Amino acid sequence: MDLSIKIKDKILPNPVGVASGTFGYGEEYAPLTDLSALGAIYTKAVTVEPRPGNPLPRLVETPAGMINSIGLANVGTERFLKEKIPFLNSLSCPVILNVAGSLEEEYAEVIRRVDSQDALWGYEVNISCPNVKHGGLAFGTDPVQVERLTSSLKKLTDKPLIMKLTPNVTDISAIARAAEAGGADAVACINTVMGMVVDIHKRKPAIPAVTGGLSGPAVKPVGVAAVYRVSKAVNIPVIGLGGIMNADDAVEYLLAGASALQIGTANFVDPDTSGKVLTGIKEYMKEAGFTRISDFHGHF
Amino acid sequence: MDLSIKIKDKILPNPVGVASGTFGYGEEYAPLTDLSALGAIYTKAVTVEPRPGNPLPRLVETPAGMINSIGLANVGTERFLKEKIPFLNSLSCPVILNVAGSLEEEYAEVIRRVDSQDALWGYEVNISCPNVKHGGLAFGTDPVQVERLTSSLKKLTDKPLIMKLTPNVTDISAIARAAEAGGADAVACINTVMGMVVDIHKRKPAIPAVTGGLSGPAVKPVGVAAVYRVSKAVNIPVIGLGGIMNADDAVEYLLAGASALQIGTANFVDPDTSGKVLTGIKEYMKEAGFTRISDFHGHF
Amino acid sequence: MTNFKSEILSQKSIALGYMEMTFRWPEESEKPKPGQFLTIKIQEQPVPLLRRPFALSGFDEEQKSASIIYQVRGTGTKMLAALKAGDPLDVLSPLGNSFSLPAVDETPLLVAGGIGLGPILYFARELDKAGHSPVLIFGCREKSLIPDLPPLTNGRIQFCTDDGSAGFHGSSVDYMNSLSSDETGNAKVYSCGPTGMLKACHDFALSRDLSCETAMEEMMACGVGACMGCVVELAEDQDRKYARVCKDGPVFQSRTIKWT
Amino acid sequence: MTNFKSEILSQKSIALGYMEMTFRWPEESEKPKPGQFLTIKIQEQPVPLLRRPFALSGFDEEQKSASIIYQVRGTGTKMLAALKAGDPLDVLSPLGNSFSLPAVDETPLLVAGGIGLGPILYFARELDKAGHSPVLIFGCREKSLIPDLPPLTNGRIQFCTDDGSAGFHGSSVDYMNSLSSDETGNAKVYSCGPTGMLKACHDFALSRDLSCETAMEEMMACGVGACMGCVVELAEDQDRKYARVCKDGPVFQSRTIKWT
Ligand SMILES: Cc1cc2nc3c(=O)[nH]c(=O)nc-3n(C[C@H](O)[C@H](O)[C@H](O)COP(=O)(O)OP(=O)(O)OC[C@H]3O[C@@H](n4cnc5c(N)ncnc54)[C@H](O)[C@@H]3O)c2cc1C
Ligand SMILES: Cc1cc2nc3c(=O)[nH]c(=O)nc-3n(C[C@H](O)[C@H](O)[C@H](O)COP(=O)(O)OP(=O)(O)OC[C@H]3O[C@@H](n4cnc5c(N)ncnc54)[C@H](O)[C@@H]3O)c2cc1C
Ligand SMILES: Cc1cc2nc3c(=O)[nH]c(=O)nc-3n(C[C@H](O)[C@H](O)[C@H](O)COP(=O)(O)O)c2cc1C
Ligand SMILES: Cc1cc2nc3c(=O)[nH]c(=O)nc-3n(C[C@H](O)[C@H](O)[C@H](O)COP(=O)(O)O)c2cc1C
Ligand code: FES
Ligand code: FES
């Protein structure tokens, strides 16, 4: 059974990674799951400068989901290199840096500064960030911006470049095609869905930023639909995520067209979800007589 | 305590209506809830010609939600007038006809044929339908189409015209503004969220249409966010729906900016949800010292 | 049709993976007929979200109680099986139509498989009480799936197992086919169970020119006919393409259904 | 820190709306320290979705058991309260930092309110055993909220009620203020409870120039420091704007927190 997935000229050992923002830089989860067994760690977003993140409270639960408003809280590129790279260097699993910014130039600057690091397998570009040059609309909502950002980042690195799509758009296929046209080596979907909770006792939004990002089982059908549509629209690998809690959910995404997966919110519920999902995928493949991940594709 | 809401020149007696497609034309629920106490019945969509609806299975459950793929199954305008109007005529609550079509002309034709009926209080226009003239993209995803459709339907009737928005767009505020510009008397949001479930045993989509409409508690945060944004964008009343299961959910929507509400999926779980929600809203208002629905607005 | 709060009176396992639950039926509520069903709101939390439909498997007018037989399948039925006597139950019933009575000279052949046992059993007992001589044929994979049932007075129960571990060796349809045309000459077939079995009953009835009623199942949302979610496809000669299982059914003349 | 399957040993109500639950602590697992907490995965279904955090309220090395005291508040704690001895429990613990020990000549003033009782009680018992003379001050609205607690050996427990229905009439801070500066001269303050009470303890400590540690609470997702969800805002003079309650806390020097 071959579980590996090729992205550009590099190999992910298995399809089950852990999603950006839900796993820090791996350290915290080291006692709780076998990091070396992960298909990939997608780090918390890194920006050029350190960012404190959004005001609190930052979390609120919803039916079968949660909303987060962490913002891009991170230590910035310099301290990332100093404080996080040594640990990441010690890991045997692929580490994919989630890159964020408010301007095209900021994304580029992060990649320029870290690209020589062998610890980094590739990049995942978070285009759900508001583009300050375009009235705060997220980069990922406009195909023109997405193609431009992708192609300008492609020039800076030989590592695989994954564009992470937001579901908060009219036509996610168009965005995916723009990423592919810009030279993306893969796309990941979905980032969080825009949502909001009102505290009816305080009569104000549950989080100060008013709207936040919905994740967890509630959004799984949205993620599966996105992966299905995107995988029909492009010829690069699609990485599926959104509400995967167990192997059955993971298999849904694979059958819908995903070549790899990320476990996000589920890490909070069971820190070893990724291990269990990988085991479950293997069992499913054995029963189905599948020998490689691509055997999941093309059934409908 | 004044629970009424004015839309155009007409009054809804209270804010709690029942959503299109979840309540038929009222008959089936007559033994289970007090129809005369409803703020409004929004009927199942009516098209010019009868439609059989989508192939089966049409339903699948998801975490805290469900996906439907009913299609626009309905008896068509002629049989609607013959078979449904007599019962609707006997009701004391406002009846709002949900109108659908695949062409602008079809929407217009429905309104032309039924507009003389006193049983109909107004119209809710379902713009989540694929526009066959525009490559099957839903009417409701393009502001230009929405404004045009709204203004052409406005010319045909003196009854209140409510445009029902789809959440499957990049910027729902822009769509709402287009509806307002076209002369809409109110907007309702949200219609269902695009979602998909894969049957991992059969290795095919759970519903033949592949993607369907997600509703229920899972989408409540999406609906509340939409209502908040839309109510900041337009000056006409906003009717909120999506996952309302109880009075607390309803109060969330009202505080977010809704002037009226619709109960959808919850009718399936508890056929008297609307009655309980109305009672709960009154209790909340009493405790808060609110005397009218507009007291819910402007807290943030 | 009412939505009432009931109370569980008893809950017991009757075969491997199958439970029988009895609950209080309110005085004011209409008496359910064989073939009709109910829906249960299993819990307050929205997972599982929808009410779950089950056919009535019995009704006791004196005790004012009704029962269902159900298979423990997924989340909802697992939660249901964890409830105990005394627990409250949110019931919406009676829903749907019911089996039509056979003529006095017709022999009712009642065929059940799996979760189709409940409505067939209820109907068999009612017919038995009314003096008919129903033959209840229950087919399953093997012995452990055979429920422990009190015998009928006028009619009889025929078990069939695929592996021959109890009763007739073969499916319920194999059993029916083993009957001579004389024996089934004035039969009327009623069936509830897996689709394959329903179609086989339909084919059997067609081949012997018998009338056949079949109780269908589809995923449901409202259960009362409002959402158009639970449709089955009708045969080409019908006046419409789809019918609602919850409102137009669950019992259909098997000839009106499009079997695929 | 391990994620282990435990078993509930006992569950009982200790005051109106408050429960104490004791559960097995695995041999291999690190011993928890006062101030540390755990998270519980309450059920398989995704409502409620997230694990629920609770401070340890006791640990019995011989019995290999630990306990929590919790208030029944919403969906999660209601479900937790429905569990019985013998039921399994999914625990992730020990998490976070802990209270620091007072110097031998310091008198620990331990202030608890509401759901802050657990960690303070655990700490008081440990100090008591180690020969310190802790004063545990527990404030609540009225008598029915006062838990039934075994007395300390060296230290003592002071109850305070807002309505004077038991113990000192007034809040725990009113009580502290009623102590002379001599009595609190070498005190070290520890607090856990509602934010208003924590701030009052901080102000009290500032005014008497005492050191004060405070155990904070914020909505959590991961509980292990990975998601940045549970932050509190730090005072302006700190080197960063926010700190994570789950990893940098839950215990903070009260001076480092931005009180608003
Ligand atoms: C009219 C009717 C009568 C029925 N009578 C019986 C009966 O007497 N005894 C019995 O054991 N079962 C009966 N069923 C089937 C029963 O409703 C399902 O087994 C039950 O809903 C499964 O719920 P779950 O949460 O345990 O399983 P899930 O994990 O939700 O699903 C397991 C299977 O049950 C089906 N199912 C789930 N929800 C529904 C629903 N709302 N409506 C229909 N099917 C559903 C799913 O498609 C799936 O194949 C009947 C169904 C219908 C429509
Ligand atoms: C470090 C820490 C230690 C705690 N120790 C105790 C304790 O010893 N005893 C005790 O009774 N309670 C304690 N709590 C609070 C406890 O976690 C909440 O009361 C509980 O999670 C409520 O869950 P629920 O589903 O019943 O309520 P819900 O209906 O979900 O919410 C009720 C309230 O609890 C808060 N809450 C819900 N989930 C969380 C979460 N994951 N993290 C923090 N707050 C949450 C909500 O904001 C809300 O105000 C502690 C919290 C933290 C962060
Ligand atoms: C607390 C939290 C923080 C997140 N931070 C980031 C981030 O920094 N960058 C990013 O691309 N996605 C971020 N995400 C989105 C997740 O990576 C993922 O796309 C989303 O949560 C859907 O997957 P899930 O439902 O499995 O969690 C975050 C999600 C959560 C819950
Ligand atoms: C079974 C079903 C059928 C529906 N049919 C229609 C329809 O015909 N026209 C329409 O505008 N919306 C239709 N809807 C959408 C609902 O009116 C509502 O917008 C949506 O379900 C969100 O609300 P809820 O979460 O409260 O159900 C349908 C929804 C369901 C579940
Ligand atoms: S379940 Fe709604 S029409 Fe049958
Ligand atoms: S809860 Fe995730 S960092 Fe504290």
Side-chain angles (χ1 to χ4, degrees):
Chain A
M1 200 181 281
D2 179 4
L3 293 167
S4 69
I5 304 101
K6 194 169 166 182
I7 296 183
K8 201 181 178 209
D9 50 359
K10 288 177 108 172
I11 301 288
L12 295 176
N14 74 63
V16 188
V18 286
S20 176
T22 67
F23 213 75
Y25 302 93
E27 285 165 295
E28 288 85 1
Y29 279 105
L32 298 169
T33 190
D34 180 4
L35 300 185
S36 70
L38 290 172
I41 293 178
Y42 299 76
T43 70
K44 173 68 189 166
V46 170
T47 51
V48 180
E49 301 299 329
R51 299 213 188 176
N54 288 343
L56 59 102
R58 291 177 172 181
L59 301 171
V60 58
E61 226 182 52
T62 70
M66 59 172 281
I67 287 179
N68 86 78
S69 169
I70 310 295
L72 297 171
N74 82 100
V75 296
T77 307
E78 204 177 305
R79 282 179 55 201
F80 168 75
L81 288 169
K82 215 173 336 170
E83 297 170 16
K84 309 293 180 187
I85 281 286
F87 176 79
L88 294 174
N89 235 326
S90 74
L91 296 179
S92 59
C93 72
V95 174
I96 297 176
L97 189 76
N98 186 272
V99 183
S102 315
L103 294 166
E104 197 176 301
E105 183 44 33
E106 285 178 12
Y107 287 90
E109 185 60 18
V110 174
I111 294 187
R112 262 187 232 111
R113 289 208 207 165
V114 304
D115 201 50
S116 62
Q117 297 298 324
D118 287 336
L120 301 179
W121 187 96
Y123 304 104
E124 181 184 59
V125 184
N126 175 356
I127 53 174
S128 298
C129 312
N131 182 342
V132 294
K133 273 228 183 125
H134 278 76
L137 266 185
F139 284 90
T141 59
D142 177 5
V144 177
Q145 300 292 315
V146 170
E147 182 171 345
R148 213 175 69 185
L149 180 63
T150 312
S151 63
S152 75
L153 298 182
K154 263 307 271 189
K155 295 188 191 108
L156 304 175
T157 181
D158 289 331
K159 299 188 201 277
L161 190 73
I162 302 162
M163 302 304 282
K164 182 167 175 188
L165 311 182
T166 166
N168 303 309
V169 294
T170 304
D171 185 6
I172 199 167
S173 309
I175 308 289
R177 278 191 298 261
E180 185 179 38
D185 300 303
V187 288
C189 50
I190 55 174
N191 212 315
T192 53
V193 175
M194 185 188 291
M196 170 175 175
V197 169
V198 178
D199 184 325
I200 66 168
H201 305 294
K202 299 188 180 148
R203 281 178 213 138
K204 55 179 202 189
I207 54 173
V210 185
T211 61
L214 180 63
S215 66
V219 308
K220 189 184 64 172
V222 178
V224 173
V227 163
Y228 172 77
R229 295 177 64 210
V230 165
S231 68
K232 297 276 175 206
V234 299
N235 292 309
I236 47 178
V238 179
I239 301 167
L241 74 156
I244 301 178
M245 301 301 283
N246 52 47
D248 285 1
D249 297 340
V251 169
E252 263 198 79
Y253 271 96
L254 292 168
L255 289 167
S259 295
L261 308 164
Q262 297 178 28
I263 309 297
T265 301
N267 293 310
F268 306 153
V269 180
D270 175 354
D272 189 36
T273 303
S274 46
K276 289 171 186 151
V277 165
L278 184 58
T279 305
I281 289 175
K282 286 185 203 160
E283 279 165 16
Y284 185 94
M285 289 177 70
K286 209 165 127 187
E287 245 175 71
F290 291 178
T291 58
R292 56 183 64 81
I293 296 299
S294 58
D295 289 343
F296 280 98
H297 301 155
H299 295 273
F300 53 88
Chain B
M1 200 181 283
D2 179 5
L3 293 168
S4 70
I5 305 102
K6 195 168 164 181
I7 296 183
K8 203 182 176 207
D9 51 359
K10 288 177 108 169
I11 301 287
L12 295 176
N14 75 63
V16 187
V18 286
S20 176
T22 67
F23 213 76
Y25 302 92
E27 284 165 294
E28 288 85 1
Y29 279 104
L32 297 169
T33 189
D34 180 2
L35 300 185
S36 69
L38 291 172
I41 293 177
Y42 299 76
T43 70
K44 173 69 189 165
V46 170
T47 52
V48 180
E49 299 300 327
R51 299 216 190 176
N54 288 342
L56 58 104
R58 293 177 171 183
L59 301 171
V60 57
E61 225 181 52
T62 70
M66 59 172 280
I67 287 179
N68 87 77
S69 169
I70 310 295
L72 297 172
N74 82 100
V75 296
T77 307
E78 203 177 306
R79 281 180 55 200
F80 168 76
L81 288 170
K82 213 172 340 172
E83 296 169 18
K84 309 293 178 184
I85 280 285
F87 177 78
L88 294 175
N89 235 328
S90 74
L91 296 178
S92 59
C93 72
V95 175
I96 298 176
L97 188 78
N98 187 271
V99 184
S102 315
L103 294 167
E104 199 175 299
E105 184 43 34
E106 285 178 12
Y107 287 91
E109 185 61 19
V110 174
I111 294 187
R112 262 187 234 112
R113 289 207 207 166
V114 303
D115 201 49
S116 62
Q117 297 298 325
D118 287 336
L120 302 179
W121 187 95
Y123 303 103
E124 181 185 58
V125 184
N126 174 357
I127 53 176
S128 298
C129 313
N131 182 341
V132 294
K133 274 229 182 125
H134 277 74
L137 266 185
F139 284 89
T141 59
D142 177 3
V144 177
Q145 300 293 315
V146 170
E147 183 171 343
R148 213 176 68 186
L149 180 62
T150 312
S151 63
S152 77
L153 298 183
K154 262 307 271 189
K155 294 187 193 110
L156 304 176
T157 181
D158 289 330
K159 299 189 201 275
L161 190 73
I162 302 163
M163 302 304 282
K164 182 166 177 190
L165 311 182
T166 166
N168 303 309
V169 294
T170 305
D171 185 5
I172 198 167
S173 309
I175 309 289
R177 278 191 299 264
E180 186 179 36
D185 300 303
V187 289
C189 50
I190 55 175
N191 212 314
T192 53
V193 176
M194 187 189 289
M196 169 174 174
V197 169
V198 178
D199 184 324
I200 67 169
H201 305 294
K202 299 189 181 148
R203 282 177 213 139
K204 57 180 202 187
I207 55 174
V210 186
T211 60
L214 179 63
S215 66
V219 309
K220 190 184 63 172
V222 178
V224 173
V227 163
Y228 172 76
R229 296 177 63 211
V230 166
S231 68
K232 297 276 175 206
V234 299
N235 292 310
I236 47 179
V238 179
I239 300 167
L241 74 157
I244 301 178
M245 300 301 282
N246 53 46
D248 285 2
D249 297 340
V251 168
E252 264 198 80
Y253 271 95
L254 292 168
L255 289 167
S259 294
L261 308 164
Q262 297 178 29
I263 309 298
T265 301
N267 293 311
F268 305 154
V269 181
D270 175 354
D272 188 37
T273 305
S274 47
K276 288 171 186 150
V277 165
L278 184 58
T279 305
I281 290 176
K282 286 185 202 159
E283 278 165 16
Y284 185 94
M285 289 178 71
K286 208 165 129 187
E287 245 175 71
F290 290 178
T291 57
R292 56 182 64 80
I293 296 299
S294 58
D295 289 343
F296 281 98
H297 301 155
H299 295 273
F300 52 88
Chain C
M1 175 189 12
T2 40
N3 186 2
F4 55 84
K5 305 283 174 254
S6 174
E7 185 196 335
I8 297 175
L9 297 172
S10 74
Q11 166 104 279
K12 65 166 195 260
S13 169
I14 56 161
L16 190 65
Y18 283 79
M19 306 285 290
E20 182 177 42
M21 173 188 273
T22 306
F23 53 95
R24 201 175 299 288
W25 193 267
E27 203 77 48
E28 338 58 88
S29 238
E30 193 184 333
K31 172 183 179 329
K33 292 193 277 286
Q36 287 193 299
F37 67 102
L38 50 75
T39 61
I40 296 178
K41 179 178 169 192
I42 292 180
Q43 62 147 19
E44 285 307 309
Q45 298 313 311
V47 179
L49 179 63
L50 297 170
R51 305 179 72 91
R52 294 295 192 252
F54 302 96
L56 275 304
S57 65
F59 180 71
D60 187 326
E61 188 116 42
E62 264 122 75
Q63 302 295 316
K64 289 283 167 213
S65 73
S67 54
I68 59 173
I69 291 174
Y70 64 96
Q71 187 189 12
V72 181
R73 261 187 177 178
T75 317
T77 46
K78 246 174 238 152
M79 288 181 175
L80 199 60
L83 300 179
K84 311 168 301 298
D87 284 342
L89 200 69
D90 181 322
V91 177
L92 177 56
S93 192
L95 300 172
N97 67 3
S98 53
F99 292 115
S100 64
L101 287 178
V104 263
D105 63 339
E106 279 179 325
T107 305
L109 269 189
L110 290 77
V111 190
I115 59 173
L117 177 61
I120 291 290
L121 186 63
Y122 182 17
F123 191 40
R125 286 198 184 126
E126 293 282 295
L127 290 172
D128 199 52
K129 263 196 279 179
H132 289 271
S133 305
V135 181
L136 192 172
I137 308 166
F138 180 78
C140 55
R141 228 173 36 249
E142 45 129 42
K143 203 174 163 182
S144 68
L145 296 168
I146 291 190
D148 189 22
L149 300 176
L152 299 171
T153 311
N154 304 306
R156 64 183 184 89
I157 302 181
Q158 175 66 51
F159 292 112
C160 310
T161 54
D162 295 342
D163 69 352
S165 53
F168 179 81
H169 186 165
S171 70
S172 35
V173 183
D174 293 340
Y175 173 77
M176 285 198 291
N177 277 320
S178 76
L179 299 174
S180 70
S181 336
D182 277 4
E183 287 172 291
T184 62
N186 65 345
K188 178 163 180 184
V189 182
Y190 300 88
S191 64
C192 188
T195 314
M197 187 201 90
L198 298 184
K199 178 165 177 357
C201 287
H202 165 69
D203 291 341
F204 169 81
L206 267 193
S207 73
R208 299 211 180 179
D209 201 23
L210 303 172
S211 143
C212 174
E213 286 185 10
T214 183
M216 309 286 289
E217 252 182 50
E218 274 302 323
M219 177 72 191
M220 289 182 176
C222 72
V224 300
C227 77
M228 305 288 152
C230 64
V231 297
V232 284
E233 197 166 346
L234 296 180
E236 254 96 51
D237 63 353
Q238 299 296 304
D239 63 348
R240 50 194 174 151
K241 184 154 186 202
Y242 298 108
R244 297 163 299 182
V245 170
C246 70
K247 186 85 177 179
D248 307 315
V251 179
F252 294 89
Q253 296 296 334
S254 75
R255 283 179 173 78
T256 64
I257 299 292
K258 178 164 183 176
W259 298 100
T260 46
Chain D
M1 172 188 17
T2 40
N3 186 2
F4 55 84
K5 304 282 174 252
S6 174
E7 186 197 334
I8 297 174
L9 297 173
S10 73
Q11 167 104 279
K12 66 165 194 263
S13 169
I14 57 162
L16 190 66
Y18 284 81
M19 305 286 289
E20 182 176 42
M21 172 188 275
T22 306
F23 54 95
R24 203 175 298 289
W25 192 267
E27 203 77 50
E28 339 59 86
S29 238
E30 191 185 334
K31 172 183 175 333
K33 291 193 279 289
Q36 287 192 300
F37 67 101
L38 51 74
T39 62
I40 296 178
K41 179 179 169 191
I42 292 181
Q43 62 148 17
E44 285 308 308
Q45 298 313 312
V47 179
L49 179 63
L50 297 170
R51 305 178 73 91
R52 294 296 192 248
F54 302 96
L56 275 305
S57 66
F59 181 71
D60 187 327
E61 189 115 40
E62 265 121 75
Q63 303 293 319
K64 291 284 169 211
S65 72
S67 55
I68 59 172
I69 291 174
Y70 65 96
Q71 187 189 11
V72 181
R73 261 188 177 175
T75 316
T77 48
K78 245 173 241 155
M79 288 181 175
L80 198 60
L83 300 179
K84 311 167 301 300
D87 284 342
L89 201 68
D90 182 322
V91 177
L92 177 55
S93 193
L95 300 171
N97 66 4
S98 53
F99 293 115
S100 65
L101 286 177
V104 264
D105 63 339
E106 279 179 324
T107 305
L109 270 188
L110 289 78
V111 190
I115 59 172
L117 177 61
I120 291 290
L121 186 64
Y122 182 16
F123 191 39
R125 286 196 183 127
E126 292 283 293
L127 291 172
D128 198 53
K129 264 196 276 179
H132 288 272
S133 304
V135 181
L136 191 172
I137 308 166
F138 179 78
C140 56
R141 227 172 39 246
E142 45 128 43
K143 204 173 163 182
S144 68
L145 297 167
I146 292 189
D148 189 23
L149 301 175
L152 299 171
T153 310
N154 303 306
R156 64 181 184 90
I157 302 181
Q158 175 67 51
F159 291 113
C160 310
T161 52
D162 294 344
D163 69 354
S165 53
F168 178 82
H169 186 164
S171 72
S172 36
V173 183
D174 293 340
Y175 174 76
M176 284 197 292
N177 277 319
S178 78
L179 299 175
S180 70
S181 337
D182 278 5
E183 287 173 291
T184 62
N186 64 346
K188 180 165 179 182
V189 182
Y190 300 88
S191 64
C192 188
T195 314
M197 189 202 88
L198 299 183
K199 178 166 179 348
C201 288
H202 164 70
D203 290 341
F204 169 80
L206 267 193
S207 73
R208 299 210 180 180
D209 201 23
L210 303 172
S211 143
C212 175
E213 287 186 7
T214 184
M216 309 286 290
E217 251 182 50
E218 275 301 325
M219 178 72 192
M220 290 183 176
C222 72
V224 300
C227 76
M228 305 290 153
C230 65
V231 296
V232 284
E233 198 167 347
L234 296 180
E236 254 95 49
D237 63 352
Q238 299 296 304
D239 63 349
R240 50 191 174 150
K241 185 154 184 200
Y242 297 109
R244 297 164 298 182
V245 169
C246 70
K247 185 84 177 181
D248 307 315
V251 179
F252 294 89
Q253 296 296 332
S254 74
R255 284 179 173 78
T256 64
I257 299 292
K258 178 164 181 175
W259 298 100
T260 45

